[in-house]
Amino acid sequence: MGTLLAGVESEIELHETVPMASDDIRKHSKDWMQVVTRPLDSSPVAPELIMAPLNAHEQFVRQAIALASQARGEGNHPFGALLVLDGEVVLTATNSVITDRDPTAHAETNLIARAMRHLSPDQIGRAVLYTSCEPCAMCVGKIYWARIRSVVYALSAQELAVLAGPDFLVPCRELFLRATEAVAVIGPMLVEEARAVHVGFWTKPAA
């Protein structure tokens, strides 16, 4: 699961204004990556996130998907998330809605709570959050207020809605666009792998 730092599990970095994606990334799909931009005086976004090759993101997204599978095996909803710092996983978390009897215990919220306990504000602010599914509105708020400014996700909210139903469906980019500070968002990616974790888990949404 990547290198562990002092018994903790996952994290990365955030810096400057957002440059254009390189041609080798952009050619994969114009929908694959969308960067939220803000004025120059807002918190900067890591250029390494935008310029990194596709396979650099895929390895961490696959780890998030594996965490989602782990969550399902533990009787929880199939979602996982991790933080990467300087190219190393430093924190991981899974959804624990069922076992904790807490509907807010999403993978991202659990991850950020752990980050607050184990990482400095500077480390959190330089982190990239990878998640198996596009963050919901609640998780977007916690991501933003924790000052994480780079997010990469696998399954889109729209894809999840097909499987689980469109309950409170708000694409994360719409929410981040309303924020004062810049947030870089990459996704969806590895959609088929991310979807497979959910197949057979959700009851069919009511017509």
Side-chain angles (χ1 to χ4, degrees), residues 29-47:
S29 167
K30 57 185 174 182
D31 295 327
W32 177 73
M33 181 176 75
Q34 177 177 336
V35 179
V36 177
T37 56
R38 282 285 174 261
L40 294 178
D41 60 352
S42 63
S43 284
V45 177

Side-chain angles (χ1 to χ4, degrees), residues 46-90:
E48 58 267 37
L49 177 77
I50 309 308
M51 304 306 294
L54 181 60
N55 61 3
H57 295 305
E58 286 181 344
Q59 65 172 321
F60 296 124
V61 170
R62 283 198 170 96
Q63 290 184 50
I65 294 170
L67 287 165
S69 180
Q70 176 185 323
R72 179 172 178 171
E74 293 169 348
N76 289 297
H77 296 175
F79 301 98
L82 55 89
L83 282 171
V84 173
L85 181 65
D86 299 330
E88 298 290 342
V89 176
V90 295

Side-chain angles (χ1 to χ4, degrees), residues 98-189:
I98 303 301
T99 53
D100 285 346
R101 300 174 65 183
D102 179 358
T104 70
H106 290 194
E108 297 93 334
T109 59
N110 289 342
L111 181 68
I112 293 167
R114 188 171 298 174
M116 295 296 184
R117 293 193 297 270
H118 295 291
L119 301 172
S120 70
D122 176 69
Q123 288 176 313
I124 293 171
R126 296 186 300 109
V128 174
L129 187 152
Y130 289 84
T131 179
S132 65
C133 188
E134 182 173 1
C136 71
M138 175 185 70
C139 292
V140 164
K142 191 154 188 173
I143 289 167
Y144 185 78
W145 292 117
R147 302 190 65 79
I148 293 169
R149 295 295 180 261
S150 300
V151 177
V152 182
Y153 68 86
L155 194 69
S156 71
Q158 288 86 351
E159 288 279 353
L160 178 63
V162 173
L163 297 165
D167 190 13
F168 199 22
L169 173 61
V170 184
C172 70
R173 288 182 174 94
E174 291 185 16
L175 296 171
F176 284 131
L177 277 169
R178 295 176 177 270
T180 302
E181 298 182 0
V183 179
V185 179
I186 293 178
M189 61 189 304

